[in-house]
Amino acid sequence: MAFAIMQLTDAAAERIREIIEDSDKPVIGVRVGVKNAGCAGMAYTLDYVEEAIAGDDHISDKGVEVWVEPKATLFLLGTVMDFEETRMSSGFTFNNPNQEGACGCGESVQLKPADLADLARARAEATA
């Protein structure tokens, strides 16, 4: 069984379904990535996907389709994507075990690549 790059909460999957339904153009899912930004170094990105992008990793979870940019894969391994709404804001959040820090304003994060040896050990222990 392959290791899932990311998982979605029910709230994230529902919001992605809404995004697809509300789009003005045909959209089949979303694409998650990272970019250099902000004082902490990186920011998550989210874009519409009109057609599958060759080379992207693909996740099908809870009835929605998510693609992951290749350069983001090692930074997102083990991440759980959620959608949260509060009185003041709403948006996707990322519970990422590879996140080492964040800036004070919440616009950027400090990410390290996942340690593949640690992932392999954890997977072996879980299946033992």
Side-chain angles (χ1 to χ4, degrees), residues 7-120:
Q7 295 178 347
L8 306 175
T9 64
D10 290 337
E14 179 59 31
R15 182 63 185 133
I16 292 170
R17 274 191 283 283
E18 291 169 0
I19 287 170
I20 291 169
E21 291 170 8
D22 294 344
S23 176
D24 294 337
K25 50 191 169 184
V27 175
I28 60 172
V30 296
R31 186 178 197 221
V32 178
V34 295
K35 66 179 181 178
N36 294 334
C39 51
M42 299 182 102
Y44 297 103
T45 63
L46 193 66
D47 295 301
Y48 295 111
V49 173
E50 295 177 39
E51 60 183 62
I53 299 168
D56 277 7
D57 289 300
H58 177 243
I59 301 155
S60 184
D61 190 12
K62 296 181 176 57
V64 297
E65 308 304 317
V66 177
W67 282 265
V68 177
E69 293 179 6
K71 71 177 186 178
T73 299
L74 278 178
F75 295 105
L76 295 175
L77 283 170
T79 297
V80 176
M81 183 176 168
D82 195 8
F83 183 78
E84 296 179 357
E85 291 184 89
T86 67
R87 295 175 116 187
M88 300 298 284
S89 68
S90 65
F92 288 100
T93 60
F94 297 86
N95 182 357
N96 186 340
N98 308 304
Q99 183 173 319
E100 295 183 316
C103 67
C105 66
E107 292 297 319
S108 63
V109 293
Q110 183 179 6
L111 299 175
K112 64 177 172 75
D115 183 327
L116 297 178
D118 284 347
L119 289 172

